[in-house]
Amino acid sequence: MAAIQKFEDLTVWQMGLALAIDVYNTLADCKDYGLCDQMQRSSVSIPSNIAEGFEREYNKEFIRFLKVSKGSAGELRTQIYIAIGIGIIDNETGEILLDKSRHISSMLRNLIKVRETKFS
């Protein structure tokens, strides 16, 4: 396994970036600008906070930003449930996005645990 030299090397960042792109593509024709804007913002927040925390170069700061990123993943999941409920996103697409978000949350939880126990 190669050493992590930059945030772009982190699989969780790569997956977060892909999820944000998926959300933007899914909502390309959305007319509910409020909810769609909020979903785009929370999806962008996931990889953005991972990157910002990594660039801070202090473990405590990195952990803090990983937690913010994890919070954004939960926020996005809530918004996906709303979007499914009001018909902006179909069930199948929504479940795919929910699964990706859950997986990212799990990865973030594990990374936070590792950073708290092995890098403190």
Side-chain angles (χ1 to χ4, degrees), residues 103-118:
H103 186 69
I104 290 167
S105 284
S106 177
M107 292 177 74
L108 286 166
R109 182 181 60 245
N110 291 336
L111 182 54
I112 290 165
K113 187 185 295 184
V114 167
R115 298 301 302 198
E116 287 175 336
T117 59
K118 302 211 187 286

Side-chain angles (χ1 to χ4, degrees), residues 15-30 32-47 72-73 75-81 83 88-89 93-102 104:
M15 292 179 71
L17 181 69
L19 177 59
I21 292 167
D22 287 347
V23 167
Y24 265 82
N25 288 333
T26 299
L27 301 173
D29 297 324
C30 182
D32 184 330
Y33 300 111
L35 181 59
C36 292
D37 180 63
Q38 195 63 32
M39 290 176 70
Q40 290 166 339
R41 288 173 182 267
S42 59
S43 69
V44 167
S45 179
I46 296 168
S72 294
E75 180 182 0
L76 177 61
R77 275 198 308 283
T78 299
Q79 295 158 354
I80 293 167
Y81 284 118
I88 290 174
I89 298 176
T93 302
E95 282 302 320
I96 291 168
L97 294 174
L98 287 168
D99 286 345
K100 289 179 180 183
S101 178
R102 285 185 198 108
I104 290 167

Side-chain angles (χ1 to χ4, degrees), residues 7 10 13 45-58 61-66 68-69:
F7 67 82
L10 292 167
W13 177 85
S45 179
I46 296 168
S48 297
N49 278 292
I50 295 168
E52 185 171 354
F54 188 94
E55 291 293 320
R56 296 287 177 117
E57 298 183 2
Y58 292 100
E61 293 252 3
F62 189 27
I63 292 168
R64 184 170 68 88
F65 279 92
L66 291 173
V68 172
S69 180

